[in-house]
């Protein structure tokens, strides 16, 4: 066992970290999940505890941490240089001294989705971001600047638009909509006053607003005009993330991977999005990810192992 080298890929999501451990030939040995390692949403103590558990689990899987040659971590918030240095020192502190690469979770998601280092990915979950990389190695990123100024077409923006439709219908600015009762039921409340209380409560965060988004599918299925309008707006916003990526990198005939719950679970948003995409780029192939972001981390770690 000691003669075989191992690599690990980490996908640091908002609520948990998915880890994939593979041998040097790319054969997956084990996958597991641990706590969140996102410094934007977690305190340093809990991030440190999660990283300690991850390093210890990798050590068990590999028969000693020294047998793990490369680790690639994809996480949100790493555009902040302080985050990278904090994460690096935590990983080292817990006994891992092999190769370490820390990058954005959209980068590992792209590699996992295509099982190669180039292509395009559009992620629409709580937030939204588009990323492309061409065969020349040039990259272009669009969106992902957070819910206060961006994240158009995301679960957060859909949740916000559903709440907005509710208050506008209440005022008579738009016709009555089934969204009202659905939101009340989802949040277990019964008045606009309570909605305002929920929205502006300091404890309510963007994930709480995004959690309302799944209602959209049901409201669209019932043919509700306000809901269909929100789905169309979301699809258009997401389509607008693709254009600059495709044009800047000349990827108009390449494949685009769709990721995140908005694109994968809302058939109304997805079909409208595909329609817009085919209209502009008839030769672009729209795919669902071939592998997850933790596997993308494994591919990146294997590539680094080859280079060293």
């Amino acid at each position: 066992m000691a003669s075989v080298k191992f690599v690990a890929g980490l996908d640091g999501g908002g609520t948990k970290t998915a880890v994939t451990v593979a041998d040097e030939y790319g054969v997956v040995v084990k996958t597991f999940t641990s706590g969140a390692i996102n410094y934007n949403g977690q305190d340093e103590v809990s991030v440190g505890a999660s990283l300690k558990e991850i390093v210890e689990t990798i050590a068990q899987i590999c028969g000693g941490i020294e047998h793990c040659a490369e680790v690639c971590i994809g996480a949100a918030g790493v555009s902040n240089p302080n985050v990278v240095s904090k994460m690096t020192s935590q990983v080292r502190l817990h006994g891992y001294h092999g190769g370490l690469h820390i990058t954005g979770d959209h980068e590992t998601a792209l590699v996992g989705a295509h099982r190669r280092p180039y292509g395009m990915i559009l992620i629409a979950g709580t937030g939204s971001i588009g990323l492309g990389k061409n065969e020349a190695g040039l990259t272009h990123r669009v969106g992902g600047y957070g819910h206060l100024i961006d994240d158009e077409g995301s679960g957060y923006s859909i949740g916000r638009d559903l709440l907005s439709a509710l208050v506008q219908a209440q005022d008579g600015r738009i016709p009555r909509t089934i969204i009202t009762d659905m939101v009340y039921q989802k949040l277990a409340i019964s008045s606009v006053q309570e909605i305002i209380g929920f929205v502006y409560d300091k404890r309510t965060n963007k994930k709480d607003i995004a959690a309302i988004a799944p209602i959209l599918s049901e409201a669209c299925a019932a043919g509700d005009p306000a809901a269909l309008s929100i789905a169309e707006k979301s699809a258009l916003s997401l389509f607008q993330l693709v254009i600059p990526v495709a044009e800047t990198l000349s990827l108009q005939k390449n494949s685009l991977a769709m990721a995140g719950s908005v694109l994968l679970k809302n058939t109304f948003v997805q079909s409208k999005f595909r329609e817009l995409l085919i209209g502009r780029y008839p030769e672009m192939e729209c795919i669902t990810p071939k592998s997850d972001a933790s596997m993308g981390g494994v591919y990146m770690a294997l590539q680094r192992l080859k280079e060293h």
Side-chain angles (χ1 to χ4, degrees), residues 3 12 14 28 46-47 72 74 81-82 103 111 122 135 140 159 197 221 224 283:
S3 59
V28 174
S46 67
V47 171
C72 176
N82 292 340
T103 186
V111 176
L122 177 63
E135 289 186 63
H140 191 62
D224 183 80
E283 293 179 75

Side-chain angles (χ1 to χ4, degrees), residues 8 68-72 91-92 96-101 301 304-305 308:
C68 184
E70 288 283 344
V71 170
C72 176
V91 172
R92 299 300 187 209
Y96 176 72
H97 301 292
L100 179 64
H101 180 55
R304 291 173 71 81
L305 192 61
H308 293 153

Side-chain angles (χ1 to χ4, degrees), residues 171-231:
D171 287 353
R173 281 182 275 169
I174 62 169
R176 285 169 66 89
T177 165
I178 60 168
I179 291 168
T180 303
D181 288 340
M182 289 170 129
V183 171
Y184 283 159
Q185 195 180 348
K186 172 90 177 171
L187 298 176
I189 54 184
S190 57
S191 70
V192 167
Q193 281 67 35
E194 287 176 284
I195 288 284
I196 303 310
F198 162 76
V199 169
Y200 295 103
D201 188 318
K202 295 257 187 290
R203 291 164 300 183
T204 301
N205 62 34
K206 64 178 180 181
K207 288 195 191 86
D208 299 321
I209 305 288
I212 302 165
I215 289 171
L216 186 65
S217 295
E218 210 182 318
C220 284
D224 183 80
L228 292 165
S229 160
I230 292 169

Side-chain angles (χ1 to χ4, degrees), residues 2 9 19 44 56 60 71 81 92 105 109 162 210 217 233 282 292:
V19 185
E44 288 198 36
E56 286 171 356
Q60 284 169 3
V71 170
R92 299 300 187 209
D105 51 357
L162 288 165
S217 295
K233 179 188 165 190
D292 70 3

Side-chain angles (χ1 to χ4, degrees), residues 106-107 110 117-123 128-145 239-251 256 281:
H106 49 291
E107 302 254 358
L110 184 144
Y118 59 90
M120 287 176 288
I121 190 163
L122 177 63
I123 307 169
S128 59
I129 190 168
L131 177 73
K133 189 170 190 176
N134 63 19
E135 289 186 63
L138 298 172
T139 63
H140 191 62
R141 171 203 146 150
V142 180
Y145 299 107
F239 170 60
Q240 284 166 341
L241 290 172
V242 178
I243 299 168
V245 176
E247 300 295 330
T248 306
L249 302 174
S250 303
L251 293 174
L256 169 80
Y281 303 117

